[in-house]
Amino acid sequence: QGAQGQVWQSQYEDARAGEFIVVKEMVFTDAQETLCKQREAQARRVMMLRHTHLISYEDVLVSRNPLTVSVVMPYYKESDLFTLITELRKPLDEYKICSLILQVALALEYMHTLSPPMIHRDVKPENILMFDGFDRTLLMDMDMSREVASGVGAMTLCGTFEYMAPETINDGGISV
């Protein structure tokens, strides 16, 4: 469970029976219908993104009673960078660090070169999934990402405080 909703590990019941998936559910009150529609639209935009180092959204489902947006994603049995760092409790070698940074940078570059560009707004170790023996990464948790009009600044103050750039906190937002 996170700030944006609950995440469930599930299995397909169709021809892919036995294959695991992850379903992220974001529940809204009836008074939050506009926010629900925004989250659905955002999830559908993210579902169109295709990059080796971005989590893929396989489906977006909306239901009523309660008002819920559910995002279906692949399941990876390994963990995020935060867990790797805290459980490993030893330094990563230079090659792994460089590879990790390059993979995340490639994902961000892809997002920034879209038309219109998209910004993630919450890059942190908990949102970097590590898999394939911790050699490959996926940038995930795209719920706070947003499109910005090309050539127009985006004032934004969101994300996780501990990972915000100092100028974001000092200026009350950054111009992108």
Side-chain angles (χ1 to χ4, degrees), residues 115-173:
S115 184
M118 185 176 275
I119 55 177
H120 188 280
R121 303 195 309 172
D122 198 23
V123 177
K124 60 184 180 182
E126 293 91 331
N127 289 339
I128 299 171
L129 181 67
M130 307 292 297
F131 64 105
D132 283 352
F134 304 109
D135 287 334
R136 294 191 50 213
T137 65
L138 286 177
L139 186 57
M140 59 181 187
D141 204 359
M142 307 288 289
D143 299 320
M144 291 198 307
S145 64
R146 68 176 261 203
E147 293 176 342
V148 292
S150 186
V152 176
M155 293 304 288
T156 181
L157 183 60
C158 77
T160 304
F161 180 78
E162 293 82 5
Y163 296 100
M164 287 183 180
E167 63 271 16
T168 302
I169 297 163
N170 294 337
D171 297 339

Side-chain angles (χ1 to χ4, degrees), residues 24-160:
K24 181 174 189 174
E25 290 184 332
M26 297 172 276
V27 180
F28 304 89
T29 65
D30 289 340
Q32 295 175 308
E33 187 168 1
T34 301
L35 179 59
C36 177
K37 287 180 182 177
Q38 290 171 345
R39 290 287 191 261
E40 176 192 5
Q42 174 61 15
R44 292 196 186 282
R45 280 192 295 273
V46 171
M47 194 166 80
M48 304 309 290
L49 302 180
R50 293 287 179 254
H51 190 273
T52 305
H53 301 294
L54 282 180
I55 193 78
S56 62
Y57 285 11
E58 295 182 4
D59 204 356
V60 177
L61 310 164
V62 179
S63 58
R64 295 220 171 255
N65 299 327
L67 191 56
T68 306
V69 175
S70 299
V71 179
V72 179
M73 298 171 272
Y75 170 75
Y76 296 91
K77 65 181 175 183
E78 293 174 70
S79 196
D80 60 48
L81 180 59
F82 180 82
T83 303
L84 173 66
I85 292 168
T86 56
E87 289 181 2
L88 189 61
R89 307 206 50 81
K90 66 179 183 178
L92 294 174
D93 66 59
E94 185 177 345
Y95 174 81
K96 276 205 187 285
I97 293 170
C98 290
S99 177
L100 163 79
I101 291 169
L102 178 61
Q103 291 176 60
V104 173
L106 289 170
L108 293 171
E109 176 190 40
Y110 167 77
M111 291 176 68
H112 296 174
T113 57
L114 293 170
S115 184
M118 185 176 275
I119 55 177
H120 188 280
R121 303 195 309 172
D122 198 23
V123 177
K124 60 184 180 182
E126 293 91 331
N127 289 339
I128 299 171
L129 181 67
M130 307 292 297
F131 64 105
D132 283 352
F134 304 109
D135 287 334
R136 294 191 50 213
T137 65
L138 286 177
L139 186 57
M140 59 181 187
D141 204 359
M142 307 288 289
D143 299 320
M144 291 198 307
S145 64
R146 68 176 261 203
E147 293 176 342
V148 292
S150 186
V152 176
M155 293 304 288
T156 181
L157 183 60
C158 77
T160 304

Side-chain angles (χ1 to χ4, degrees), residues 10-21 58 72-73:
S10 304
Q11 280 184 298
Y12 283 108
E13 291 182 351
D14 60 10
R16 297 178 283 186
E19 183 180 332
F20 287 100
I21 55 173
E58 295 182 4
V72 179
M73 298 171 272

